[in-house]
Amino acid sequence: MQIEAKRAEAEEKRKLLQEETRQHQARAQYQDQLARKRYDDQLAQQQRMNEENLRRQEESVAKQEAMRKATIEHEMDLRHKNEMKRVEAETKAKAKADRENRDLILEQIRLKAEQNRITVLESIKTAGSVIGTGAQAMLNDWNKVLTAAGGLTLLALGVYSAKGGTTVAARYVESRLGKPSLVRETSRFSLLEAVKHPIETVKKLKQPEQDALSGVVLAPKLEERLRDVAIATKNTKQNKGMYRNILMHGPPGTGKTMFAKKLAKHSGMDYAILTGGDIAPMGKEGVTAVHKVFDWANGSGKGLLLFVDEADAFLRKRSSETFRKTCELR
């Protein structure tokens, strides 16, 4: 019985201890909740205070900005009014001064006009007197009239003759000494080139006649036709006959230019090469340039074979990619 009583007493103590522990934990939780609530209340109150302060600051800034704008507008209004008053005062003063000085200005204008009129009349009288005196003196002396007319006639004739002579001399010098700008390549050499390059000039003079078709690979029929052309050209050169124009066509690299050069050397003539693409962009000036080339070609003592590459560039509109070349014998 005593053991059970002690056991019951111990159980009661244990239960009492658990209850005290539970109550202690409950009090601690309650105190913690109270502390958290107080902290939350403090935070909320602080936030409300901050918001209130911010609102007051914004209201203060807005009031200051409104006052500043009102001040600026007032200053601008006053400045505008003062400016308008100043302009009005200046306008009135200027108008008053203009009214007061109007008569004086009109008088000055009349005086200047009168002085200008007198000056012009005196100039006209002086010029008329001088011209009249000179004309009367010249008409009274017919020798002076004839001398003046003859002098003017001789002067005009001299100017016209000098102009024509200069043009003819320039064309002659250009045809004899200079190479036209359209000519890209030529075997003809001028006196100036002979002085500059004497060795090359001697080599050109000593070059023997070449076969017109040497180094040119052609079909048998075409080779036969071109050989006939070479023989006919050489005979025409020897017999001083009339040359023919030859039209050759074909893609690049087939030997058209080479044949023209060798034909000239075979016939004992000079050659010159120009391109139709250089003539087409010149427009109306191209005619003059071509005439210069012909004049220059006619000045060759040996005769000159003029080879026009891409002649279709200025002779007609291009309708295909075929290259046409004209070989003119001069």
Side-chain angles (χ1 to χ4, degrees), residues 228-244:
D228 292 340
V229 170
I231 295 172
T233 304
K234 185 175 182 180
N235 292 334
T236 303
K237 171 71 167 52
Q238 293 176 353
N239 298 325
K240 298 181 180 180
M242 297 295 294
Y243 294 104
R244 293 186 300 172

Side-chain angles (χ1 to χ4, degrees), residues 116-131:
N116 291 333
R117 188 178 67 83
I118 294 172
T119 303
V120 171
L121 290 176
E122 290 179 353
S123 300
I124 293 173
K125 289 180 180 179
T126 304
S129 177
V130 172
I131 294 173

